[in-house]
Amino acid sequence: PLNCGIVGLPNVGKSTIFNALTSAKAQAANYPFCTIDPNTGTVTVPDVRLDKITEFVKPNRTVPTTMEFIDIAGLVEGASKGEGLGNQFLGHIRSTDAICHVVRCFDDPEVVHVAGGVNPLHDIDIINTELLLADLDTVDKRSQRLEKLVRNTQDAKIKAEASAVAKLKETLEAGKPARTADLTDDERLAARDLFLITAKPQLYVANVDESGLTTGNDYTAAVEKRAAEENSQVVRICGALESEIAQLEPAERDEFLKDMGLEEPGLNRLIHSAYRLLDLITYFTAGVQEVRAWTIRRGTKAPGAAGVIHSDFERGFIKADCYSYDDLLKYGSEQAVKEKGLLRSEGKEYIVKDGDILFFKFNV
Ligand code: GDP
């Protein structure tokens, strides 16, 4: 499954948020196997549509879809030069699919700030600079190797990589993340094997105290301004509060949220934002045995979507019966949707949409 790495300076609240994400009571009920290793956590993706479908279909069981978060501790100033356990941590970040960058936006004299005072923009610069330098190092090394290769070849792939690397080097040297480089499709493909950190999609998590949660504060305003310039999203949450909420039973939790005037835990917003950042969408299967949500990348065709359930489904794919969640909501049952003529039969080229409810026909 695709995953999201949580990065940030020490003491900004990464572990607090990660632990809240992976220990929430609702999750544990459905996913007793939550923790794979201490730093990787499977998190269920909250989805009201799944609850609604369950009400309509009344299945024996309901299974949400999941995504993974990875807590990447230990990134400090100088990491790209091997400071601390720098290289090891950068290696972990390279293997993630997207990055949640946690920024401290709360004052607390009890919690030491590693860079000597709360200053979110300064913190962001430290982390982003380390990631940029690490990428520049990768690109420099590759560039040297390619210089020789490219002279003796007509290989289009190598030529594409060489021009990608040249553009990336220029971008990084100008202090801009690799994701902003203007690459052609071929260059983008060729650059993928570099696993550049700053090419990954990134969002900021502004970790605030309770008072800053709904209205924000001066720190979050600064982060939001910076994020807007970079075309990044910001999710505002209070790590300390989330870790309390995560310990509550679902019924208590709803009560607690209501008292706080909150609609849902901030973690839900974070999970949804990370899901969007990864460009993921959800489709459903809805039988009387089981109602279930499945995750695919946006743009996946029906056979690929079937393959998420089982590789046999993809190999033997014939067609998919398909209707939309919105139509189910409108007409109340699959039968009623069918009678309205809204149940379609889709073939191999069909691009699955967010909220589709699918039933696959396949050869074994
Ligand atoms: P990490 O080093 O980034 O993983 O940070 P931790 O999650 O270990 O948090 C560092 C310290 O900040 C801990 O003492 C937390 O209890 C505290 N902390 C985390 N989130 C919040 C918050 O939202 N408000 C306050 N006041 N303290 C927090």
Side-chain angles (χ1 to χ4, degrees):
L2 295 182
N3 60 48
C4 203
I6 301 176
V7 309
L9 286 177
N11 265 355
V12 296
K14 296 183 298 297
S15 303
T16 304
I17 291 167
F18 175 81
N19 290 336
L21 275 170
T22 53
S23 74
K25 287 275 185 204
Q27 324 276 357
N30 287 315
Y31 276 84
F33 54 85
C34 260
T35 312
I36 299 164
D37 77 65
N39 296 320
T40 302
T42 302
V43 171
T44 64
V45 180
D47 196 327
V48 288
R49 297 173 301 180
L50 190 66
D51 304 334
K52 277 283 177 202
I53 298 172
T54 298
E55 277 173 36
F56 288 126
V57 179
K58 302 190 177 60
N60 290 338
R61 62 178 187 144
T62 298
V63 185
T65 191
T66 61
M67 63 175 293
E68 266 180 19
F69 282 90
I70 302 175
D71 185 11
I72 299 170
L75 195 60
V76 294
E77 189 159 15
S80 61
K81 301 202 169 48
E83 204 69 41
L85 289 166
N87 283 322
Q88 196 182 324
F89 294 117
L90 291 166
H92 286 145
I93 303 176
R94 265 186 206 105
S95 65
T96 65
D97 301 297
I99 294 171
C100 291
H101 182 160
V102 181
V103 187
R104 175 164 166 177
C105 293
F106 63 87
D107 286 311
D108 187 340
E110 300 285 312
V111 180
V112 174
H113 191 287
V114 291
V118 180
N119 182 343
L121 294 188
H122 184 234
D123 293 3
I124 286 174
D125 287 338
I126 292 177
I127 293 289
N128 285 348
T129 301
E130 291 306 325
L131 302 181
L132 217 106
L133 288 173
D135 279 352
L136 195 55
D137 191 45
T138 306
V139 164
D140 273 338
K141 284 192 179 122
R142 189 64 196 153
S143 161
Q144 282 164 25
R145 298 248 318 117
L146 280 166
E147 229 170 80
K148 292 186 196 104
L149 285 172
V150 83
R151 258 184 260 136
N152 308 312
T153 187
Q154 291 305 318
D155 187 335
K157 230 185 115 193
I158 291 184
K159 287 191 181 299
E161 193 186 345
S163 64
V165 162
K167 284 186 189 175
L168 288 164
K169 199 164 140 86
E170 199 180 303
T171 305
L172 292 165
E173 277 171 352
K176 297 200 189 96
R179 75 181 80 85
T180 64
D182 188 16
L183 303 183
T184 65
D185 289 345
D186 284 345
E187 286 169 345
R188 203 168 295 282
L189 199 65
R192 218 157 49 180
D193 291 344
L194 295 170
F195 296 103
L196 296 181
I197 300 167
T198 66
K200 298 176 197 296
Q202 172 176 263
L203 65 78
Y204 292 105
V205 179
N207 189 17
V208 295
D209 50 26
E210 271 182 54
S211 65
L213 194 53
T214 43
T215 52
N217 55 34
D218 291 349
Y219 301 135
T220 59
V223 174
E224 277 155 19
K225 182 163 174 290
R226 170 68 67 86
E229 287 160 14
E230 292 175 8
N231 242 328
S232 301
Q233 298 295 310
V234 184
V235 182
R236 199 192 291 158
I237 65 175
C238 173
L241 183 66
E242 292 302 327
S243 63
E244 278 176 48
I245 295 174
Q247 298 313 314
L248 300 173
E249 299 295 338
E252 287 178 297
R253 191 185 55 197
D254 292 346
E255 190 71 15
F256 184 84
L257 288 169
K258 220 168 85 195
D259 287 348
M260 297 281 304
L262 301 171
E263 267 178 36
E264 57 174 0
L267 292 183
N268 290 14
R269 284 183 288 114
L270 175 57
I271 294 167
H272 288 146
S273 297
Y275 202 69
R276 273 198 303 276
L277 189 68
L278 290 164
D279 211 18
L280 299 174
I281 61 169
T282 301
Y283 78 85
F284 304 95
T285 51
V288 285
Q289 277 302 323
E290 179 184 275
V291 164
R292 186 158 177 168
W294 304 89
T295 295
I296 52 173
R297 272 201 196 259
R298 189 181 300 283
T300 303
K301 291 180 179 172
V308 174
I309 303 178
H310 199 288
S311 54
D312 286 349
F313 280 34
E314 178 163 12
R315 226 173 300 134
F317 180 89
I318 301 170
K319 61 174 187 145
D321 287 342
C322 176
Y323 58 103
S324 75
Y325 165 77
D326 289 339
D327 286 339
L328 178 67
L329 196 64
K330 205 150 141 200
Y331 299 110
S333 72
E334 183 178 320
Q335 189 56 33
V337 170
K338 208 169 179 172
E339 279 159 17
K340 291 279 171 193
L342 294 168
L343 192 140
R344 313 170 321 259
S345 178
E346 299 286 4
K348 286 189 171 160
E349 292 305 312
Y350 177 66
I351 294 173
V352 174
K353 293 205 251 328
D354 189 45
D356 275 352
I357 301 175
L358 299 174
F359 182 81
F360 295 108
K361 304 271 172 64
F362 60 97
N363 285 315
V364 274

